Amino acid sequence: GNSVTQMEGPVTLSEEAFLTINCTYTATGYPSLFWYVQYPGEGLQLLLKATKADDKGSNKGFEATYRKETTSFHLEKGSVQVSDSAVYFCAQTNFGNEKLTFGTGTRLTIIP
Amino acid sequence: GAVVSQHPSRVICKSGTSVKIECRSLDFQATTMFWYRQFPKKSLMLMATSNEGSKATYEQGVEKDKFLINHASLTLSTLTVTSAHPEDSSFYICSAPDKRESSYNEQFFGPGTRLTVL
């Protein structure tokens, strides 16, 4: 079945550091891939998405590229800020199937 | 983007009582809504798919008599935890896809409901 494997946390970085959170998936067919973010005390928000191979999703300085050959969708940001502290979830869904399969989440803490 | 609300945001109840959680799509209609459960420091587990006008579809291992779902209208789904026990304490989250814009149905999440059963 479909699954998402995500880098275990927690991750602690200094402000302005480079961030990578790894995510790989297994799926039948051609899934759409997502990164969701959950800020403290809030619900999940879509951070970025990619719906086909080689697509790059980007938002708020974050990027992730849909790599079919490595079945990966790693999240990156060149210079993190304290306000990026949150839990990040990688997820997938197959076209026509609205069910989201989530990774375990990665808690990110940025220290000044 | 579209907005999904949940009520209440936090509830504490005694063991054996039932608790109802509401999920509303505020500015769009949702024929389908999803209910998730999130354990501390864990991922979201899909519990069931709520279907307007028909029965909910439960994921394997989720007790449908324990977690009653009613999708009464195109903007409201309710989850009732019946005869709650301490092990039902968790963070419950709903989501709804907004199908208005494109072939890709982005899902919007409610802020969640923290249930504590004493």
Side-chain angles (χ1 to χ4, degrees):
Chain A
N2 295 353
S3 67
V4 175
T5 301
Q6 189 175 339
M7 176 177 166
E8 290 281 337
V11 174
T12 302
L13 294 173
S14 297
E15 203 166 20
E16 299 183 3
F18 183 86
L19 168 71
T20 300
I21 301 178
N22 289 338
C23 172
T24 57
Y25 67 91
T26 60
T28 53
Y30 303 96
S32 294
L33 302 174
F34 310 86
W35 277 99
Y36 282 86
V37 58
Q38 186 176 30
Y39 296 105
E42 298 183 16
L44 271 74
Q45 302 172 27
L46 178 65
L47 178 60
L48 53 84
K49 67 180 188 288
T51 57
K52 61 182 187 297
D54 300 324
D55 269 2
K56 177 186 284 188
S58 61
N59 185 26
K60 299 182 180 180
F62 290 89
E63 292 183 340
T65 301
Y66 189 143
R67 302 282 188 203
K68 187 180 176 184
E69 62 276 13
T70 55
T71 62
S72 65
F73 193 54
H74 305 322
L75 182 68
E76 297 182 336
K77 185 172 185 180
S79 177
V80 292
Q81 305 301 314
V82 172
S83 57
D84 294 327
S85 298
V87 182
Y88 293 81
F89 293 92
C90 187
Q92 67 160 303
T93 188
N94 280 318
F95 183 79
N97 179 353
E98 297 163 331
K99 291 184 183 180
L100 283 164
T101 301
F102 285 91
T104 53
T106 302
R107 182 173 298 277
L108 174 66
T109 301
I110 307 301
I111 54 177
Chain B
V3 179
V4 174
S5 70
Q6 277 184 247
H7 178 80
S9 58
R10 188 180 295 267
V11 57
I12 301 173
C13 68
K14 293 182 179 180
S15 187
T17 61
S18 293
V19 174
K20 180 185 285 188
I21 302 170
E22 293 185 348
C23 176
R24 292 181 186 274
S25 56
L26 297 186
D27 53 355
F28 66 103
Q29 293 182 334
T31 56
T32 303
M33 291 183 175
F34 298 92
W35 286 97
Y36 296 85
R37 183 172 177 177
Q38 186 179 22
F39 294 93
K41 299 183 180 180
K42 298 281 188 181
S43 187
L44 281 75
M45 181 193 78
L46 179 64
M47 299 174 65
T49 303
S50 175
N51 304 300
E52 191 270 336
S54 65
K55 291 182 180 180
T57 307
Y58 290 83
E59 296 300 303
Q60 192 172 10
V62 177
E63 299 176 60
K64 59 183 180 182
D65 294 331
K66 173 76 170 174
F67 299 100
L68 299 179
I69 291 173
N70 181 30
H71 200 136
S73 74
L74 288 170
T75 59
L76 173 64
S77 174
T78 60
L79 168 68
T80 301
V81 183
T82 62
S83 186
H85 291 284
E87 58 266 29
D88 298 324
S89 298
S90 193
F91 195 55
Y92 293 87
I93 302 172
C94 70
S95 73
D98 183 355
K99 303 182 182 182
R100 290 174 295 179
E101 295 189 0
S102 68
S103 59
Y104 160 64
N105 302 325
E106 180 174 343
Q107 290 211 33
F108 294 87
F109 285 79
T113 297
R114 172 76 59 192
L115 170 63
T116 302
V117 184
L118 302 177

